[in-house]
Amino acid sequence: MLTDLLFGAYRKKVLGLLLLHPDTDYHVRELARQTGTAPGTLHKELARLATAGLLLRKAQGNQVRYQANQQCPVYPELAGLLRKTTGAAELLADVLAPLQPTLACIFGSVASGTETATSDVDLLVIGDIGFADLVRATHPVQAELGREINPVVYSVPELQRRVQAQDPFVMDLLRNPKIFLTGTEHDLSQLTGHTASAGV
Amino acid sequence: MTLANLLAIQRLLAFSATPEGVQRLLAAAVRNLADAQLAQLSAENRFDAAYKCIMQCAMLGLWAQGYRTSTSQPGHHQTALQALPLTMGLPNDIIIVLDALRKQRNLNDYEGDPISDAVVSECLAQAQALLAHTRKFLQTQFPDLLATSKKN
Protein backbone atom coordinates (compact mmCIF):
# COMPACT_ATOMS: atom_id res chain seq x y z
CA MET A 1 0.00 0.00 0.00
CA LEU A 2 1.01 3.56 -0.73
CA THR A 3 0.92 4.74 2.88
CA ASP A 4 3.10 1.82 4.00
CA LEU A 5 5.66 3.20 1.62
CA LEU A 6 5.26 6.77 2.82
CA PHE A 7 5.03 6.22 6.59
CA GLY A 8 6.15 2.67 7.24
CA ALA A 9 3.57 0.04 8.17
CA TYR A 10 3.88 0.63 11.87
CA ARG A 11 3.71 4.42 11.92
CA LYS A 12 0.72 4.21 9.57
CA LYS A 13 -1.19 2.07 12.07
CA VAL A 14 -0.55 4.47 14.94
CA LEU A 15 -1.37 7.57 12.92
CA GLY A 16 -4.41 5.87 11.45
CA LEU A 17 -5.80 5.20 14.90
CA LEU A 18 -4.99 8.62 16.37
CA LEU A 19 -5.82 10.88 13.41
CA LEU A 20 -9.06 9.08 12.51
CA HIS A 21 -10.29 9.24 16.13
CA PRO A 22 -9.29 12.82 16.92
CA ASP A 23 -11.67 13.13 19.88
CA THR A 24 -10.08 10.23 21.77
CA ASP A 25 -6.82 10.27 23.71
CA TYR A 26 -4.89 7.05 24.23
CA HIS A 27 -2.46 5.66 26.72
CA VAL A 28 0.70 4.19 25.14
CA ARG A 29 -0.11 0.63 26.20
CA GLU A 30 -3.61 0.99 24.76
CA LEU A 31 -2.13 2.17 21.44
CA ALA A 32 0.37 -0.69 21.46
CA ARG A 33 -2.39 -3.23 22.00
CA GLN A 34 -4.72 -1.79 19.36
CA THR A 35 -2.02 -1.53 16.72
CA GLY A 36 -0.13 -4.70 17.61
CA THR A 37 3.17 -2.89 18.23
CA ALA A 38 5.74 -2.98 21.08
CA PRO A 39 5.18 -0.29 23.76
CA GLY A 40 8.93 0.32 24.08
CA THR A 41 9.48 1.58 20.55
CA LEU A 42 6.08 3.23 20.51
CA HIS A 43 7.07 5.57 23.39
CA LYS A 44 9.88 7.15 21.38
CA GLU A 45 7.85 7.30 18.21
CA LEU A 46 4.93 9.10 19.90
CA ALA A 47 7.22 11.56 21.64
CA ARG A 48 8.75 12.48 18.26
CA LEU A 49 5.35 12.93 16.62
CA ALA A 50 4.29 15.16 19.54
CA THR A 51 7.45 17.28 19.24
CA ALA A 52 6.67 17.71 15.55
CA GLY A 53 3.23 19.07 16.50
CA LEU A 54 1.15 16.30 14.97
CA LEU A 55 0.07 14.87 18.34
CA LEU A 56 -0.86 16.35 21.70
CA ARG A 57 0.94 14.88 24.70
CA LYS A 58 -0.99 15.03 27.97
CA ALA A 59 0.41 13.98 31.32
CA GLN A 60 -2.29 12.68 33.64
CA GLY A 61 -0.75 11.77 36.98
CA ASN A 62 2.00 9.34 36.04
CA GLN A 63 0.22 8.40 32.80
CA VAL A 64 1.00 9.95 29.45
CA ARG A 65 -1.81 10.10 26.91
CA TYR A 66 -1.66 11.02 23.23
CA GLN A 67 -4.28 12.57 20.98
CA ALA A 68 -4.33 13.94 17.41
CA ASN A 69 -3.61 17.68 17.25
CA GLN A 70 -6.34 19.03 15.00
CA GLN A 71 -4.67 22.45 15.06
CA CYS A 72 -1.64 21.08 13.21
CA PRO A 73 -1.64 22.81 9.79
CA VAL A 74 -1.43 19.53 7.84
CA TYR A 75 -3.92 17.62 10.03
CA PRO A 76 -6.82 17.70 7.51
CA GLU A 77 -4.63 16.50 4.63
CA LEU A 78 -3.03 13.72 6.64
CA ALA A 79 -6.35 12.55 8.09
CA GLY A 80 -7.81 12.54 4.57
CA LEU A 81 -4.88 10.52 3.26
CA LEU A 82 -5.24 7.98 6.08
CA ARG A 83 -9.03 7.81 5.67
CA LYS A 84 -8.53 6.78 2.05
CA THR A 85 -5.80 4.23 2.69
CA THR A 86 -6.40 2.63 6.06
CA GLY A 87 -9.28 1.02 7.89
CA ALA A 88 -12.46 0.45 5.94
CA ALA A 89 -11.02 1.41 2.55
CA GLU A 90 -8.02 -0.90 2.74
CA LEU A 91 -9.94 -3.90 4.11
CA LEU A 92 -12.82 -3.55 1.66
CA ALA A 93 -10.56 -3.09 -1.37
CA ASP A 94 -8.87 -6.40 -0.48
CA VAL A 95 -12.05 -8.45 -0.13
CA LEU A 96 -13.70 -6.92 -3.21
CA ALA A 97 -10.77 -7.60 -5.55
CA PRO A 98 -11.72 -11.26 -6.28
CA LEU A 99 -15.23 -10.16 -7.33
CA GLN A 100 -13.71 -7.90 -10.01
CA PRO A 101 -16.18 -5.03 -9.76
CA THR A 102 -16.37 -2.46 -12.56
CA LEU A 103 -16.29 0.19 -9.86
CA ALA A 104 -16.47 0.27 -6.06
CA CYS A 105 -16.53 3.11 -3.57
CA ILE A 106 -17.45 3.98 -0.01
CA PHE A 107 -20.09 6.71 0.28
CA GLY A 108 -22.09 8.22 3.13
CA SER A 109 -20.75 9.37 6.48
CA VAL A 110 -17.52 7.35 6.44
CA ALA A 111 -16.57 8.88 3.07
CA SER A 112 -17.38 12.41 4.18
CA GLY A 113 -15.66 11.97 7.56
CA THR A 114 -18.86 12.66 9.52
CA GLU A 115 -19.37 9.14 10.87
CA THR A 116 -20.36 8.49 14.48
CA ALA A 117 -19.53 5.43 16.61
CA THR A 118 -22.60 3.60 15.30
CA SER A 119 -22.48 4.61 11.60
CA ASP A 120 -22.58 1.90 8.93
CA VAL A 121 -20.03 1.78 6.15
CA ASP A 122 -22.05 2.46 2.97
CA LEU A 123 -20.55 0.59 0.06
CA LEU A 124 -21.47 0.99 -3.61
CA VAL A 125 -20.40 -1.76 -5.99
CA ILE A 126 -21.05 -1.59 -9.74
CA GLY A 127 -20.83 -4.78 -11.77
CA ASP A 128 -22.49 -8.09 -12.49
CA ILE A 129 -22.14 -9.29 -8.92
CA GLY A 130 -24.74 -11.13 -6.88
CA PHE A 131 -25.93 -9.60 -3.60
CA ALA A 132 -25.15 -12.84 -1.69
CA ASP A 133 -21.57 -12.97 -3.04
CA LEU A 134 -21.03 -9.35 -2.02
CA VAL A 135 -22.49 -9.94 1.46
CA ARG A 136 -20.34 -13.04 2.02
CA ALA A 137 -17.19 -11.26 0.82
CA THR A 138 -17.68 -8.20 3.04
CA HIS A 139 -19.10 -9.96 6.12
CA PRO A 140 -15.76 -10.75 7.82
CA VAL A 141 -14.71 -7.08 7.54
CA GLN A 142 -17.59 -5.99 9.79
CA ALA A 143 -16.06 -7.62 12.86
CA GLU A 144 -12.65 -6.11 12.09
CA LEU A 145 -14.04 -2.60 11.66
CA GLY A 146 -16.59 -2.84 14.45
CA ARG A 147 -19.07 -1.38 11.96
CA GLU A 148 -21.85 -2.88 9.89
CA ILE A 149 -21.43 -2.72 6.15
CA ASN A 150 -24.36 -1.67 4.02
CA PRO A 151 -23.66 -2.95 0.51
CA VAL A 152 -25.48 -1.52 -2.51
CA VAL A 153 -24.91 -3.34 -5.80
CA TYR A 154 -26.03 -2.19 -9.25
CA SER A 155 -25.24 -3.53 -12.69
CA VAL A 156 -24.07 -0.85 -15.15
CA PRO A 157 -27.49 -0.74 -16.91
CA GLU A 158 -29.33 -0.44 -13.58
CA LEU A 159 -27.06 2.42 -12.49
CA GLN A 160 -27.68 4.19 -15.80
CA ARG A 161 -31.44 3.59 -15.55
CA ARG A 162 -31.50 5.08 -12.04
CA VAL A 163 -29.48 8.12 -13.13
CA GLN A 164 -31.83 8.66 -16.06
CA ALA A 165 -34.83 8.42 -13.71
CA GLN A 166 -33.09 10.90 -11.35
CA ASP A 167 -33.44 8.40 -8.49
CA PRO A 168 -32.96 10.62 -5.39
CA PHE A 169 -30.79 8.05 -3.59
CA VAL A 170 -28.40 7.67 -6.52
CA MET A 171 -28.31 11.42 -7.31
CA ASP A 172 -27.45 12.12 -3.66
CA LEU A 173 -24.74 9.47 -3.76
CA LEU A 174 -23.21 10.96 -6.93
CA ARG A 175 -23.13 14.48 -5.46
CA ASN A 176 -21.51 13.58 -2.14
CA PRO A 177 -17.95 12.57 -1.17
CA LYS A 178 -16.75 9.08 -2.01
CA ILE A 179 -13.63 7.03 -1.34
CA PHE A 180 -12.84 5.05 -4.48
CA LEU A 181 -11.70 1.45 -3.99
CA THR A 182 -11.89 0.32 -7.61
CA GLY A 183 -11.96 2.87 -10.41
CA THR A 184 -11.99 6.65 -10.11
CA GLU A 185 -14.40 9.58 -10.02
CA HIS A 186 -13.73 9.91 -13.74
CA ASP A 187 -14.73 6.28 -14.40
CA LEU A 188 -17.96 6.83 -12.48
CA SER A 189 -18.85 9.94 -14.49
CA GLN A 190 -18.10 8.00 -17.70
CA LEU A 191 -20.60 5.33 -16.55
CA THR A 192 -23.30 7.78 -15.52
CA GLY A 193 -22.74 10.44 -18.14
CA HIS A 194 -22.67 13.00 -15.32
CA THR A 195 -19.78 14.96 -13.95
CA ALA A 196 -19.27 14.63 -10.22
CA SER A 197 -20.48 18.01 -9.05
CA ALA A 198 -22.82 18.84 -11.93
CA GLY A 199 -26.13 20.25 -10.77
CA VAL A 200 -27.60 19.33 -14.18
CA MET B 1 -26.73 -20.18 22.09
CA THR B 2 -29.38 -22.87 22.22
CA LEU B 3 -33.15 -22.51 21.82
CA ALA B 4 -33.45 -23.15 25.57
CA ASN B 5 -31.04 -20.26 26.25
CA LEU B 6 -33.07 -17.96 23.98
CA LEU B 7 -36.14 -18.99 25.96
CA ALA B 8 -34.37 -18.25 29.26
CA ILE B 9 -33.49 -14.70 28.15
CA GLN B 10 -37.07 -14.27 26.86
CA ARG B 11 -36.10 -13.78 23.22
CA LEU B 12 -38.30 -16.82 22.58
CA LEU B 13 -41.52 -17.98 24.20
CA ALA B 14 -42.76 -21.56 24.54
CA PHE B 15 -45.52 -22.22 22.05
CA SER B 16 -47.46 -25.26 20.98
CA ALA B 17 -48.58 -24.85 17.39
CA THR B 18 -51.61 -26.69 16.02
CA PRO B 19 -51.55 -28.44 12.62
CA GLU B 20 -54.17 -25.91 11.41
CA GLY B 21 -51.96 -23.01 12.49
CA VAL B 22 -48.89 -24.47 10.79
CA GLN B 23 -50.78 -25.16 7.57
CA ARG B 24 -52.28 -21.65 7.55
CA LEU B 25 -48.83 -20.05 7.96
CA LEU B 26 -47.33 -22.33 5.32
CA ALA B 27 -50.11 -21.35 2.88
CA ALA B 28 -49.41 -17.66 3.60
CA ALA B 29 -45.70 -18.22 2.85
CA VAL B 30 -46.64 -19.88 -0.46
CA ARG B 31 -48.90 -16.92 -1.39
CA ASN B 32 -46.17 -14.42 -0.55
CA LEU B 33 -43.66 -16.26 -2.70
CA ALA B 34 -46.15 -16.21 -5.60
CA ASP B 35 -46.74 -12.46 -5.10
CA ALA B 36 -42.99 -11.84 -5.06
CA GLN B 37 -42.91 -13.08 -8.66
CA LEU B 38 -45.56 -10.68 -10.00
CA ALA B 39 -43.65 -8.68 -12.60
CA GLN B 40 -46.10 -5.76 -12.47
CA LEU B 41 -45.25 -5.01 -8.82
CA SER B 42 -42.48 -2.58 -7.86
CA ALA B 43 -39.10 -3.97 -6.79
CA GLU B 44 -39.85 -2.85 -3.21
CA ASN B 45 -43.10 -4.80 -2.99
CA ARG B 46 -41.72 -7.92 -4.62
CA PHE B 47 -38.87 -7.78 -2.15
CA ASP B 48 -41.31 -7.29 0.75
CA ALA B 49 -43.37 -10.30 -0.28
CA ALA B 50 -40.29 -12.52 -0.63
CA TYR B 51 -38.96 -11.30 2.72
CA LYS B 52 -42.31 -12.08 4.35
CA CYS B 53 -42.10 -15.60 2.99
CA ILE B 54 -38.62 -15.97 4.55
CA MET B 55 -39.84 -14.69 7.92
CA GLN B 56 -42.87 -17.01 7.85
CA CYS B 57 -40.62 -20.00 7.11
CA ALA B 58 -38.38 -18.99 10.04
CA MET B 59 -41.49 -18.87 12.26
CA LEU B 60 -42.55 -22.33 11.05
CA GLY B 61 -39.17 -23.70 12.13
CA LEU B 62 -39.63 -22.22 15.60
CA TRP B 63 -43.25 -23.35 15.90
CA ALA B 64 -42.36 -26.93 14.97
CA GLN B 65 -39.73 -26.99 17.74
CA GLY B 66 -42.18 -25.58 20.30
CA TYR B 67 -41.29 -21.88 20.29
CA ARG B 68 -42.26 -18.53 18.89
CA THR B 69 -40.53 -15.16 19.00
CA SER B 70 -41.42 -12.64 21.62
CA THR B 71 -42.82 -9.82 19.46
CA SER B 72 -42.70 -7.44 22.42
CA GLN B 73 -38.88 -7.71 22.34
CA PRO B 74 -36.91 -5.56 19.90
CA GLY B 75 -35.17 -7.47 17.12
CA HIS B 76 -37.55 -10.40 16.88
CA HIS B 77 -36.91 -10.72 13.13
CA GLN B 78 -33.20 -11.05 13.84
CA THR B 79 -33.89 -13.65 16.53
CA ALA B 80 -36.08 -15.69 14.15
CA LEU B 81 -33.36 -15.68 11.46
CA GLN B 82 -30.55 -16.47 13.86
CA ALA B 83 -32.53 -19.41 15.24
CA LEU B 84 -32.66 -21.07 11.80
CA PRO B 85 -29.50 -23.18 12.28
CA LEU B 86 -31.02 -24.45 15.57
CA THR B 87 -34.55 -25.03 14.29
CA MET B 88 -34.04 -26.31 10.75
CA GLY B 89 -30.27 -26.91 10.50
CA LEU B 90 -29.50 -24.06 8.10
CA PRO B 91 -25.79 -23.32 7.54
CA ASN B 92 -24.41 -20.01 8.84
CA ASP B 93 -23.43 -19.08 5.30
CA ILE B 94 -27.14 -18.67 4.50
CA ILE B 95 -27.94 -16.80 7.73
CA ILE B 96 -25.38 -14.12 6.81
CA VAL B 97 -27.27 -13.46 3.58
CA LEU B 98 -30.74 -13.59 5.19
CA ASP B 99 -29.60 -11.14 7.85
CA ALA B 100 -28.27 -8.77 5.17
CA LEU B 101 -31.71 -8.93 3.51
CA ARG B 102 -33.28 -8.01 6.86
CA LYS B 103 -31.04 -4.92 7.03
CA GLN B 104 -32.01 -3.98 3.46
CA ARG B 105 -35.63 -4.15 4.54
CA ASN B 106 -34.98 -1.79 7.47
CA LEU B 107 -33.15 0.69 5.24
CA ASN B 108 -35.96 0.55 2.69
CA ASP B 109 -38.82 0.74 5.20
CA TYR B 110 -37.43 3.41 7.48
CA GLU B 111 -35.07 5.47 5.28
CA GLY B 112 -36.48 4.97 1.80
CA ASP B 113 -33.27 3.52 0.36
CA PRO B 114 -34.19 1.83 -2.94
CA ILE B 115 -34.15 -1.94 -3.41
CA SER B 116 -31.78 -2.90 -6.22
CA ASP B 117 -32.47 -5.60 -8.84
CA ALA B 118 -29.73 -7.75 -7.28
CA VAL B 119 -31.44 -7.60 -3.87
CA VAL B 120 -34.87 -8.52 -5.28
CA SER B 121 -33.49 -11.53 -7.13
CA GLU B 122 -31.45 -12.68 -4.13
CA CYS B 123 -34.43 -12.33 -1.77
CA LEU B 124 -36.61 -14.30 -4.19
CA ALA B 125 -34.01 -17.06 -4.58
CA GLN B 126 -33.56 -17.30 -0.81
CA ALA B 127 -37.34 -17.40 -0.22
CA GLN B 128 -37.74 -20.19 -2.79
CA ALA B 129 -34.94 -22.25 -1.28
CA LEU B 130 -36.09 -21.70 2.30
CA LEU B 131 -39.72 -22.56 1.54
CA ALA B 132 -38.64 -25.80 -0.15
CA HIS B 133 -36.37 -26.57 2.82
CA THR B 134 -39.18 -25.81 5.33
CA ARG B 135 -41.63 -28.09 3.51
CA LYS B 136 -39.16 -30.94 3.46
CA PHE B 137 -38.25 -30.36 7.10
CA LEU B 138 -41.89 -30.47 8.20
CA GLN B 139 -42.64 -33.53 6.03
CA THR B 140 -39.73 -35.53 7.41
CA GLN B 141 -39.50 -34.32 11.03
CA PHE B 142 -43.03 -33.21 11.90
CA PRO B 143 -45.43 -34.98 9.50
CA ASP B 144 -48.23 -34.72 12.12
CA LEU B 145 -48.24 -30.95 11.69
CA LEU B 146 -49.03 -31.34 7.99
CA ALA B 147 -51.72 -33.99 8.46
CA THR B 148 -55.28 -32.95 7.64
CA SER B 149 -57.89 -33.86 10.25
CA LYS B 150 -60.97 -34.42 8.10
CA LYS B 151 -61.98 -37.75 9.62
CA ASN B 152 -65.50 -36.83 10.53
Side-chain angles (χ1 to χ4, degrees):
Chain A
M1 284 298 291
L2 185 61
T3 31
D4 281 343
L5 204 64
L6 289 172
F7 299 133
Y10 146 87
R11 191 176 290 174
K12 182 182 87 172
K13 278 190 199 166
V14 175
L15 286 177
L17 188 62
L18 286 160
L19 268 56
L20 296 182
H21 301 87
D23 298 327
T24 313
D25 58 17
Y26 298 87
H27 183 243
V28 181
R29 253 195 302 281
E30 217 176 324
L31 279 171
R33 187 166 36 77
Q34 292 207 34
T35 57
T37 49
T41 28
L42 200 53
H43 264 295
K44 259 189 258 166
E45 178 76 19
L46 291 167
R48 277 164 65 198
L49 289 167
T51 310
L54 197 53
L55 301 181
L56 299 170
R57 185 178 189 277
K58 298 190 277 187
Q60 228 175 49
N62 57 357
Q63 265 201 355
V64 179
R65 302 185 73 85
Y66 288 94
Q67 184 174 5
N69 178 14
Q70 296 188 64
Q71 303 306 314
C72 175
V74 295
Y75 168 79
E77 286 83 0
L78 277 178
L81 181 61
L82 289 160
R83 188 172 296 123
K84 288 180 183 172
T85 53
T86 66
E90 190 176 27
L91 292 169
L92 283 172
D94 283 352
V95 298
L96 289 176
L99 300 176
Q100 300 185 297
T102 305
L103 187 136
C105 62
I106 295 173
F107 65 100
S109 61
V110 171
S112 54
T114 58
E115 75 270 26
T116 65
T118 56
S119 298
D120 286 357
V121 179
D122 295 314
L123 174 68
L124 172 71
V125 176
I126 307 294
D128 291 318
I129 296 164
F131 181 69
D133 291 335
L134 183 57
V135 167
R136 289 193 183 110
T138 55
H139 185 261
V141 178
Q142 299 190 121
E144 252 177 287
L145 288 176
R147 289 185 187 282
E148 293 205 343
I149 293 162
N150 168 32
V152 175
V153 60
Y154 296 134
S155 64
V156 173
E158 183 176 3
L159 175 71
Q160 290 170 343
R161 195 184 75 216
R162 288 184 183 273
V163 171
Q164 209 139 45
Q166 302 270 305
D167 176 317
F169 178 84
V170 171
M171 300 320 282
D172 193 51
L173 191 158
L174 293 178
R175 259 192 310 272
N176 285 304
K178 288 169 279 296
I179 297 171
F180 284 87
L181 310 173
T182 307
T184 61
E185 184 88 59
H186 176 75
D187 296 331
L188 181 59
S189 53
Q190 292 285 98
L191 288 175
T192 59
H194 280 236
T195 47
S197 52
V200 186
Chain B
M1 190 67 77
T2 63
L3 292 170
N5 290 147
L6 289 167
L7 181 68
I9 60 168
Q10 294 173 333
R11 301 287 288 275
L12 294 180
L13 301 173
F15 179 65
S16 166
T18 61
E20 295 72 32
V22 166
Q23 288 162 35
R24 193 172 58 234
L25 189 55
L26 186 60
V30 171
R31 273 199 310 278
N32 278 313
L33 183 60
D35 282 358
Q37 294 168 82
L38 291 174
Q40 56 272 51
L41 288 183
S42 69
E44 272 83 354
N45 283 307
R46 291 174 59 210
F47 169 80
D48 270 354
Y51 179 83
K52 246 168 117 175
C53 172
I54 290 171
M55 198 44 62
Q56 287 164 334
C57 289
M59 290 304 156
L60 283 165
L62 282 168
W63 283 15
Q65 303 285 6
Y67 301 93
R68 66 176 177 83
T69 55
S70 171
T71 45
S72 60
Q73 292 261 333
H76 65 272
H77 279 209
Q78 193 171 12
T79 303
L81 294 177
Q82 282 171 351
L84 278 167
L86 304 169
T87 57
M88 296 201 283
L90 248 67
N92 203 40
D93 193 44
I94 299 284
I95 308 306
I96 288 170
V97 176
L98 297 181
D99 201 54
L101 293 171
R102 178 186 64 80
K103 286 182 213 155
Q104 289 283 315
R105 173 182 170 269
N106 286 347
L107 288 168
N108 177 248
D109 277 11
Y110 307 124
E111 301 194 29
D113 287 13
I115 294 292
S116 70
D117 295 349
V119 169
V120 180
S121 62
E122 188 58 44
C123 197
L124 189 58
Q126 291 294 342
Q128 268 160 343
L130 187 58
L131 182 60
H133 181 89
T134 305
R135 267 218 175 97
K136 209 164 145 195
F137 163 80
L138 291 173
Q139 277 160 5
T140 54
Q141 316 266 325
F142 297 92
D144 293 355
L145 291 174
L146 296 180
T148 44
S149 55
K150 284 177 187 162
K151 277 173 193 158
N152 34 2

